[in-house]
Amino acid sequence: MLTLEDRIHARLKAPDYREWRDKVTAIGGCAAPIRLFGAWQLHDTTTGSVMAHLGGEVFIPCGNRRQSVCPTCSDRYAADAFHLMHAGLSGGSKGVPLTVAEKPRVFATLTAPSFGSVHNRRTHPKSGKVIPCACGDYHHPDDPRIGGPLVPETYDYVGAVLWQAHAGKLWHRFTIALRRALANAAGLTVREFKDHARVSYAKVAEYQRRGLVHFHAVIRVDGPDGPRDSTPRWATTELLDHCVKSAAASVLLETARPDGLVLPLVWGNQVDVRPIRPTSAHEVEDDSGAISEHKLAGYVAKYATKGTGKTEAADRPIRSQLEIDYLRVSEHHRAMIQTTWDLGDLPFYEELNLKRWTHMLGFRGHFLTKSKHYSTTFQAIRGERRAFRAQETLDRLGLEADSVVVVNDWAYSGSGYDNDAERELASAVADRLREQRRRKYEREVAA
């Protein structure tokens, strides 16, 4: 029986290896490409003749945002997320004016409430030394017990899953409450508020070790028509800070437990709000806790590509109880997964579609969302990239865009690579390209 090394060696010696490698390199070493078969042509708009042709099987990136699934597509998603966030923070790109840096802005973190005491790694607020957990142990940062309940038998798994399933609605209620709080502070009605100011935001969800999401959000107060409109003088960073905290505390959403008892859903008490300041890319925060624009955009981009974690859940939807039984996860997260799966069988929770989101521990929202006027969109960023590549092709062929028409005829032929040897070789291509990008970035910074 051939070993993996033998299969890799055989693939390297195959007649079509160079062609295959070029396809993989073109998609950055994507871990699970989509394979299409067909043709692409450029036709002359006047004569109808074919000016350029590409046919056969091609690879396109899978587009998965999770770093644990596809590092290559995750890097691309993180870069797009960075530009989306940074444009709304600093302006000067993607159609966002530079004046956004002068508007009231905060970086807010909203967390889930407690559903039972959990193991954690605590430090002394003054000395910074590690102090014992409530269980009496000193936890290592990688201790798998961190985030798990001290008493699993009394932990409210049903409440935790139902809170998670409604987290998106809680955020929506929060944005309504925030506009109401700002309007009240300015002596306006909610209806009048839209004629004076607008709340713009971009938020990202991140899983905590206990398996529950918290939201990191950049929140900005614009004029009524968006970022190009002047913000009213009464809207200050201090006022925005106060209103974010009061709005988070006021949100209440009710659902029912399986036994019919009312379950109130609220945000946790730990609401962190920090001002954002325009600073150099090398600064993180100052003594007041204000955080810099560049680093903040980087943090959010990193959060956006994280999944639920290697020991916390699955990266793909769960289809059966058998899959749950064989998942390599902690007992705490297995309990959350099982609770989500079981609740999905109950007719009362049918609209939550929990079985579809079992692998996400019940969380049903998007990981990065933004209000309409915060900045650009992922669609616009990807459209710019496609347009740039299309223009590169036209320049290489010496053609003008208005003289040709693109004809595509592609059919799906499969997903992923044919075997483990190809997957290993593609991973090596991805590592090489990532290292090249890292070195290029270091040279640019040094220059």
Side-chain angles (χ1 to χ4, degrees):
M1 184 176 179
L2 295 177
T3 65
L4 176 59
E5 290 185 2
D6 293 333
R7 292 193 293 275
I8 291 175
H9 183 72
R11 189 69 184 90
L12 290 170
K13 294 295 185 180
D16 67 335
Y17 173 70
R18 287 181 178 273
E19 180 184 358
W20 178 86
R21 184 193 61 189
D22 290 345
K23 293 179 182 178
V24 175
T25 301
I27 58 172
C30 172
I34 308 300
R35 304 195 304 273
L36 302 178
F37 186 85
W40 165 90
Q41 293 180 340
L42 286 178
H43 289 202
D44 187 288
T45 55
T46 303
T47 65
S49 59
V50 177
M51 309 297 292
H53 172 87
L54 172 66
E57 186 177 64
V58 298
F59 294 167
I60 62 173
C62 68
N64 198 301
R65 67 164 186 82
R66 293 180 181 84
Q67 201 277 337
S68 57
V69 175
C70 181
T72 295
C73 292
S74 173
D75 287 347
R76 186 180 296 109
Y77 184 94
D80 290 349
F82 175 86
H83 289 298
L84 184 151
M85 294 298 303
H86 197 264
L89 286 165
S90 301
S93 65
K94 311 300 180 185
V96 182
L98 288 168
T99 51
V100 294
E102 303 168 2
K103 295 178 180 291
R105 305 167 301 165
V106 297
F107 180 53
T109 299
L110 277 63
T111 62
S114 174
F115 295 97
S117 300
V118 299
H119 294 275
N120 56 38
R121 178 180 167 84
R122 301 189 299 166
T123 57
H124 193 278
K126 293 184 178 179
S127 67
K129 292 183 177 180
V130 178
I131 57 178
C133 171
C135 70
D137 291 346
Y138 292 84
H139 291 300
H140 184 274
D142 295 326
D143 190 332
R145 290 179 294 172
I146 294 179
L150 293 173
V151 186
E153 295 78 13
T154 61
Y155 192 82
D156 186 7
Y157 283 104
V158 170
V161 168
L162 290 176
W163 184 93
Q164 190 118 282
H166 290 85
K169 286 187 177 181
L170 279 168
W171 173 263
H172 178 64
R173 292 285 183 90
F174 164 74
T175 60
I176 294 173
L178 177 58
R179 287 191 288 269
R180 183 180 295 113
L182 287 167
N184 290 340
L188 303 168
T189 66
V190 175
R191 181 171 295 181
E192 292 171 337
F193 178 77
K194 64 182 177 60
D195 297 323
H196 293 79
R198 177 187 295 273
V199 175
S200 297
Y201 68 84
K203 73 167 176 66
V204 65
E206 181 192 20
Y207 278 87
Q208 298 173 298
R209 292 286 289 271
R210 57 178 173 153
L212 292 168
V213 296
H214 55 189
F215 290 136
H216 303 286
V218 173
I219 303 174
R220 189 183 71 216
V221 181
D222 295 329
D225 293 327
R228 294 187 179 278
D229 210 358
S230 298
T231 304
R233 292 184 178 180
W234 53 259
T236 64
T237 300
E238 292 74 18
L239 176 64
L240 182 57
D241 180 313
H242 171 75
C243 289
V244 166
K245 292 174 181 175
S246 63
S250 70
V251 173
L252 172 64
L253 185 66
E254 292 186 341
T255 187
R257 293 180 179 273
D259 59 7
L261 291 177
V262 174
L263 173 64
L265 304 175
V266 298
W267 292 108
N269 294 327
Q270 295 179 337
V271 178
D272 181 57
V273 183
R274 287 190 281 174
I276 303 170
R277 60 189 172 89
T279 54
S280 73
H282 302 290
E283 295 178 323
V284 179
E285 58 183 64
D286 58 22
D287 293 338
S288 68
I291 190 167
S292 69
E293 297 166 346
H294 189 88
K295 291 296 184 182
L296 176 54
Y299 291 159
V300 172
K302 179 188 71 174
Y303 297 146
T305 59
K306 290 176 65 177
T308 50
K310 293 181 180 179
T311 63
E312 296 169 13
D315 287 314
R316 294 177 175 84
I318 293 172
R319 304 299 184 191
S320 68
Q321 178 64 50
L322 188 63
E323 289 185 48
I324 298 176
D325 295 340
Y326 283 92
L327 280 175
R328 299 179 63 182
V329 296
S330 69
E331 289 306 309
H332 171 56
H333 294 98
R334 185 184 303 280
M336 287 200 69
I337 291 169
Q338 189 66 62
T339 301
T340 307
W341 183 262
D342 293 342
L343 289 175
D345 285 325
L346 302 180
F348 183 76
Y349 302 116
E350 182 178 1
E351 69 172 14
L352 298 179
N353 203 9
L354 289 173
K355 289 208 167 184
R356 178 183 176 186
W357 303 106
T358 296
H359 67 300
M360 302 307 293
L361 310 179
F363 178 61
R364 306 181 302 134
H366 293 287
F367 272 80
L368 195 158
T369 59
K370 54 174 281 297
S371 61
K372 180 180 179 180
H373 293 277
Y374 173 78
S375 69
T376 186
T377 64
F378 280 116
Q379 183 179 9
I381 292 173
R382 291 161 185 164
E384 290 175 3
R385 185 160 55 236
R386 286 193 297 270
F388 176 81
R389 290 172 179 168
Q391 189 60 50
E392 275 189 326
T393 301
L394 292 173
D395 292 343
R396 186 174 67 252
L397 297 172
L399 301 173
E400 296 294 332
D402 57 0
S403 67
V404 296
V405 61
V406 179
V407 178
N408 282 300
D409 182 19
W410 299 102
Y412 173 80
S413 62
S415 300
Y417 296 105
D418 288 340
N419 50 56
D420 55 353
E422 289 192 349
R423 286 192 291 272
E424 287 293 326
L425 290 168
S427 178
V429 169
D431 290 343
R432 173 174 57 82
L433 294 175
R434 190 176 296 107
E435 179 63 18
Q436 289 176 355
R437 290 195 299 270
R438 185 187 65 81
R439 291 180 179 179
K440 180 181 179 182
Y441 174 76
E442 289 178 348
R443 288 196 298 269
E444 291 174 349
V445 171

